[in-house]
Amino acid sequence: MSSVLTNVSFRAMFKLALAASLLTALVSSVHGHGYVQEIKAGGTTYTGYLPYQDPYMNPAPQRIVRKIPGNGPVTDLSLIDVQCNGYTAGGVAGSAPAPIYATVAAGSQMALNWTTWPDSHKGPMITYMARAPSDITNWNPGTSAVWFKVAEAGLVNGKWAATDLLTASNSIYTFTIPPKLKAGQYIIRHEIIALHAATSYPGAQVYPSCIQVQVTGSGTALPTSFVSFPGAYTASTPGIVFDVYQGPSTYPIPGPSVWTGGN
Ligand SMILES: *[C@@H]1O[C@H](CO)[C@@H](O)[C@H](O)[C@H]1NC(C)=O
Ligand SMILES: [Cu+2]
């Protein structure tokens, strides 16, 4: 009697384990995803917004990153979701402002720590900023053209930024706040665009998130041209529809050129 029971429960456990490993395999092959889990700025380490923990914590942890719904992508580039990976909630379109911000000097580097990124998800890593007209913990850009690009990396000597280069740097992406950028509060919009399904539109997977910072320094430079999200990327933007499987030697990174503000 007890040996039958043991046998039954063993089989049940085996089935469960099998189901779990199949699910894991499916999730990682079809949709391995990710987000920025940690940020180093101005000598301080900040935990990112953790979509599978933060919503269940009471009190809610205070983050410098705006809320994201999970580790998945945005593929409809006409949606506000493509801005900060937020969605229409509580009557506010786009990601809700976060309660705090990091302080970082113009010209210094920030390090963004991504969760393990799947090798299949080749693509560029791109970073934009937008200057807050007022208190950043209240500001929502909506569809206004306020964004300028500060860094981009696509296909460099046969290596993709989001896979080869990110893996080689222990999942740490770094970029520099433009040295002459005028002090003030900014949203940093950082993204990976995964191209493994981008041979037609919709297909490219955008993984954006928004980090709030106070930039310090004596610079006076501000860009003069801006893009909006949604708006900057459409089905016909170079690099949105792209075939990564034909051994390309170059890749046109989507969006405007990088603004450095002079050095
Ligand atoms: C990235 O963040 C994770 C989670 O906090 C941490 O365990 C890991 O050590 C960090 N990676 C690096 C290279 O600092
Ligand atoms: Cu994925």
Side-chain angles (χ1 to χ4, degrees):
M1 192 66 189
S2 78
S3 78
V4 171
L5 265 182
T6 309
N7 196 20
V8 166
S9 57
F10 172 78
R11 282 197 201 174
M13 277 174 60
F14 179 75
K15 278 189 187 168
L16 264 178
L18 191 68
S21 64
L22 278 176
L23 191 66
T24 308
L26 196 69
V27 165
S28 48
S29 65
V30 177
H31 275 301
H33 320 271
Y35 52 89
V36 173
Q37 59 184 344
E38 201 172 88
I39 297 106
K40 285 197 165 83
T44 302
T45 301
Y46 301 87
T47 301
Y49 181 83
L50 306 178
Y52 301 108
Q53 298 174 31
D54 287 8
Y56 310 104
M57 291 175 76
N58 193 359
Q62 304 239 299
R63 304 300 191 204
I64 62 171
V65 181
R66 298 189 168 200
K67 277 184 198 175
I68 57 172
N71 65 5
V74 179
T75 55
D76 183 340
L77 302 180
S78 70
L79 299 180
I80 191 80
D81 306 37
V82 79
Q83 185 173 106
C84 297
N85 207 347
Y87 45 93
T88 304
V92 181
S95 207
I100 58 171
Y101 50 82
T103 299
V104 60
S108 70
Q109 277 199 339
M110 280 179 64
L112 312 184
N113 174 339
W114 276 84
T115 52
T116 305
W117 193 251
D119 283 343
S120 61
H121 287 31
K122 299 178 187 349
M125 304 184 79
I126 311 175
T127 306
Y128 294 82
M129 295 178 75
R131 182 178 175 84
S134 56
D135 179 7
I136 197 165
T137 65
N138 272 316
W139 184 51
N140 195 313
T143 55
S144 305
V146 291
W147 303 95
F148 55 99
K149 191 187 271 180
V150 296
E152 65 179 14
L155 184 59
V156 188
N157 298 326
K159 294 185 189 301
W160 284 100
T163 47
D164 308 299
L165 301 183
L166 190 59
T167 302
S169 64
N170 276 322
S171 300
I172 306 295
Y173 165 88
T174 55
F175 76 100
T176 301
I177 304 283
K180 298 202 168 157
L181 182 65
K182 188 175 178 178
Q185 296 188 332
Y186 292 83
I187 300 176
I188 292 165
R189 179 188 175 281
H190 170 65
E191 71 189 343
I192 288 176
I193 305 178
L195 301 169
H196 53 291
T199 49
S200 61
Y201 179 87
Q205 300 185 344
V206 181
Y207 294 81
S209 63
C210 287
I211 305 165
Q212 298 180 171
V213 296
Q214 167 85 49
V215 173
T216 60
S218 55
T220 55
L222 285 175
T224 53
S225 76
F226 304 92
V227 296
S228 65
F229 284 100
Y233 304 158
T234 69
S236 59
T237 302
I240 292 297
V241 172
F242 191 78
D243 186 349
V244 284
Y245 299 104
Q246 302 298 321
S249 55
T250 60
Y251 170 71
I253 300 173
S257 53
V258 168
W259 181 84
T260 61
N263 297 307

